[in-house]
Amino acid sequence: MKTEHTLKLLEYALGHELRAFSTTRAGGVGSGSYGAFNITHYCGDTPEHVHANRQLLCTELGIADDRLLLPHQTHGDRVLTIDADFLALPEARRTAEMEGVDALVTNIKGVCIGVSTADCVPILLYDPTHQAIAAVHAGWRGTVKKIVARAIATMTEKYGTRPAELRAVVGPSISAAAFEVGDEVYDAFSAAGFPMTNVARRYPAAGGTEKWHIDLWAANVCTLEAAGVELTNLMVAGICTYTESDRFFSARRLGINSGRIFNGIMLKN
């Protein structure tokens, strides 16, 4: 008997001209800590499962496999522009170009760009005036480096984007209550100029002590606002991956050898 695998996407209403979404764990062919839907190829999942899940998503989006782009992220701040020249490259060259990249931008229709997360913050950007999009991966290191501001700067340079016109989504990721950090992480945010009273607080910890927790949602909202994005155009999903690890992958809850959420955005043809 044939098994049906129906994808369940968390979709964002950024405009009728595009699809913007985060995948959930439902609908794929994976199992265990990779169950059921994972398309990230570098997190230890079975290659056949990754390929099958990619095909499911491509069918849902109505695109060929070579139009579904996911970089190999390394918690840096490199932004890659996806243009016609990039799409014309052989597969091996495209893979090499996407090594060490944590944000993609494009204005080409029918190309789904995305980033993978499993507690880190995904940010999707849409410029409705110039029909340009971005997908950004902001872990705590990328957040400190203000990678989303770099992505906006790239959109401004390449497409003439005006930040005040951007629509933005902060997708499912770890909440402040679940994100306990060491003093060195607190110090990194402080040194980067973040308003620490807004992005950090102390929570009770084992042994009657207190530990710092960082609010990555608030930190990235601060960066978006400083870059010129209007708060009225900004949506925060408010979904904690750690506490909702049954619906969304969480590396802190499931372990590093687990699946990843794919956070994608695509201008429709």
Side-chain angles (χ1 to χ4, degrees), residues 118-155:
D119 289 330
C120 294
V121 180
I123 304 164
L124 303 176
L125 303 172
Y126 173 45
D127 174 354
T129 302
H130 300 92
Q131 289 296 289
I133 53 177
V136 181
H137 165 255
W140 76 259
R141 292 177 179 85
T143 300
V144 165
K145 295 173 183 176
K146 303 180 180 177
I147 183 173
V148 71
R150 294 183 68 89
I152 291 171
T154 301
M155 294 178 75

Side-chain angles (χ1 to χ4, degrees), residues 2-17:
K2 184 179 179 181
T3 302
E4 294 295 333
H5 301 286
T6 304
L7 290 182
K8 292 184 180 179
L9 305 178
L10 174 63
E11 301 221 34
Y12 309 111
L14 291 183
H16 298 299
E17 312 86 2

Side-chain angles (χ1 to χ4, degrees), residues 18 28 45 61 71 78 87 89 106 115 117 134 143 150 156-157 174 205 209 230 233 240 242 245 255 268:
L18 78 164
D45 198 359
L61 298 174
R78 185 175 164 218
L87 294 175
L89 293 172
T106 193
V115 291
T117 57
T143 300
R150 294 183 68 89
T156 299
E157 176 188 351
I174 198 165
T209 61
E230 299 285 349
N233 291 334
C240 176
Y242 184 84
S245 59
K268 296 178 182 177

Side-chain angles (χ1 to χ4, degrees), residues 27-90:
V29 302
S31 60
S33 59
Y34 298 100
F37 187 85
N38 168 65
I39 68 166
T40 299
H41 56 284
Y42 55 87
C43 62
D45 198 359
T46 304
E48 292 79 11
H49 290 169
V50 172
H51 177 73
N53 285 332
R54 280 184 66 97
Q55 296 312 302
L56 287 170
L57 183 56
C58 287
T59 298
E60 167 65 26
L61 298 174
I63 60 175
D65 185 82
D66 66 354
R67 292 301 186 262
L68 178 60
L69 302 179
L70 170 61
H72 185 188
Q73 303 153 193
T74 55
H75 298 277
D77 61 355
R78 185 175 164 218
V79 181
L80 178 65
T81 300
I82 303 301
D83 54 18
D85 289 341
F86 174 88
L87 294 175
L89 293 172

